[in-house]
Amino acid sequence: MRRITKVATAAAALTLLAACGGGGDDDTSGGGPDDVKVGVIPIVDTAPIWLGKEKGFFDDEDINLEIVTTTGGAAAVPGVVSGDFDFAFGNVVSLMVGAEQGLPLQFVTNGTSSAGVDPDFGAVLVPEDSPIQSPADLAGKTVSVNNLKNIGDTTIRAAIEKDGGDPEDVKFVEVPFPDAPAALTKKQVDAIWVLEPFMSAALADGARVVTYNYLDMSPKLDIAGYFTTKQYIGENEDLVERFTRAMNKSLEYAGENDDEVRDIVGTYTKIDEPTRAKMVLPVFRPEFDEPSMEQLGAAAVEFGTLEDEPDLDALLP
């Protein structure tokens, strides 16, 4: 049974959802393209939606797409619930947490998955001269993540435990991905967790990898996807279907065109071409891998991010 405080939080969030998060039925809009606002993190994971917009995949579905950048899934969830975004890119733990709090969130398609091989597209990094050599050595250290109690610290704790360390003896601090390499250089933290393109930039500046934490959990780990509220889906069924088609086409195109992915990243980040050329790219596919999500949900329960294992049937498309 959930604690009373959690029920109260869910009730308040649902009240906010009812007041702000609806959106009208697009079938009665009277013609013309539908305006759709999507919140995303400016990292390599979201390259498909930027690429799909450039290629006209959303125009083909009569969608006028506006992309707004966020710091992570923890910011994207309230943005969708409040109606600031129609859809958003968020990692699977953010949605698991939101669903446990009573928010009627649902993915419409996948967004990004582990590269499945070493090197992966995200890692925990330390300075070259750091005494930290393995995940177990992170115990007692300070590690930056983009959002607390989320997919970053959950998978890092799992890697530490797998390596024989104490997963509870780690201090996590919140640092946006673009700021993390500088925090490491200035020794404000002992280690940083970053994704591409910031991983390659930090490595070029002399950092080294301690663990590919996604890969340590599962080579098929789904990291994040595009989601909205069940209310929005119910009120905008045709628009959601069109958005999903355009997004799936974008994912498939990105998965087949690595060079264009690297190029498009340069349009929404400040990462230079030599660094982009070295980036490790994630896997882009529309389908989710449910077993790896179950594994991630179990780890989130073990480390206190969730109280109960998530209902994936309610969360997935």
Side-chain angles (χ1 to χ4, degrees):
M1 182 178 296
R2 294 182 180 134
R3 293 189 294 268
I4 293 175
T5 53
K6 181 162 282 192
V7 174
T9 300
L14 288 169
T15 298
L16 175 63
L17 176 64
C20 305
D25 189 331
D26 61 282
D27 292 334
T28 62
S29 60
D34 290 294
D35 293 331
V36 171
K37 185 181 292 187
V38 183
V40 305
I41 316 173
I43 52 178
V44 68
D45 305 45
T46 60
I49 194 169
W50 299 88
L51 194 55
K53 181 176 182 177
E54 181 184 81
K55 293 295 178 181
F57 299 155
F58 293 91
D59 292 336
D60 292 344
E61 294 292 348
D62 209 22
I63 291 173
N64 180 29
L65 180 67
E66 179 183 357
I67 302 174
V68 181
T69 58
T70 71
T71 59
V77 167
V80 167
V81 169
S82 68
D84 289 340
F85 305 136
D86 300 301
F87 301 88
F89 176 90
N91 73 67
V92 295
V93 173
S94 291
L95 262 70
M96 290 174 181
V97 170
E100 186 170 81
Q101 292 175 346
L103 299 177
L105 305 172
Q106 185 175 328
F107 284 113
V108 296
T109 188
N110 200 351
T112 184
S113 305
S114 169
V117 294
D118 180 344
D120 202 355
F121 72 101
V124 176
L125 308 180
V126 296
E128 181 63 37
D129 60 355
S130 171
I132 300 171
Q133 299 295 327
S134 71
D137 295 335
L138 292 169
K141 305 301 183 182
T142 299
V143 183
S144 76
V145 292
N146 67 321
N147 290 140
L148 298 174
K149 294 187 72 66
N150 214 285
I151 193 168
D153 47 17
T154 297
T155 52
I156 292 168
R157 288 187 196 276
I160 292 171
E161 183 178 61
K162 183 178 179 180
D163 194 42
D166 182 357
E168 301 301 327
D169 186 23
V170 184
K171 180 182 179 181
F172 289 101
V173 295
E174 196 166 288
V175 179
F177 287 138
D179 301 330
L184 187 67
T185 300
K186 295 176 182 177
K187 300 189 182 301
Q188 295 170 341
V189 293
D190 298 304
I192 60 172
W193 173 61
V194 286
L195 305 182
E196 292 287 22
F198 308 105
M199 184 181 81
S200 286
L203 290 172
D205 284 340
R208 60 177 170 80
V209 175
V210 172
T211 173
Y212 296 108
N213 43 304
Y214 288 159
L215 191 58
D216 278 352
M217 175 161 283
S218 171
K220 295 184 178 181
L221 187 65
D222 291 321
I223 313 306
Y226 293 85
F227 70 95
T228 187
T229 65
K230 294 180 186 295
Q231 180 182 356
Y232 188 90
I233 293 172
E235 295 179 354
N236 302 275
E237 184 175 346
D238 177 68
L239 176 56
V240 172
E241 290 177 356
R242 286 186 282 127
F243 175 82
T244 303
R245 280 198 300 269
M247 196 63 246
N248 287 350
K249 188 174 182 179
S250 301
L251 288 163
E252 291 166 351
Y253 187 88
E256 297 170 355
N257 294 275
D258 288 0
D259 289 343
E260 292 189 51
V261 168
R262 298 179 194 280
D263 289 342
I264 200 71
V265 170
T267 67
Y268 62 88
T269 73
K270 297 180 180 179
I271 303 301
D272 59 33
E273 191 280 331
T275 301
R276 297 198 310 273
K278 299 175 183 177
M279 290 190 308
V280 179
L281 300 183
V283 168
F284 298 119
R285 60 168 183 255
E287 303 81 15
F288 286 94
D289 181 74
E290 193 163 333
S292 69
M293 290 187 71
E294 291 174 350
Q295 188 176 353
L296 181 60
V301 172
E302 178 183 355
F303 302 125
T305 301
L306 295 173
E307 290 186 8
D308 303 300
E309 292 193 19
D311 180 0
L312 296 182
D313 290 338
L315 202 58
L316 297 179

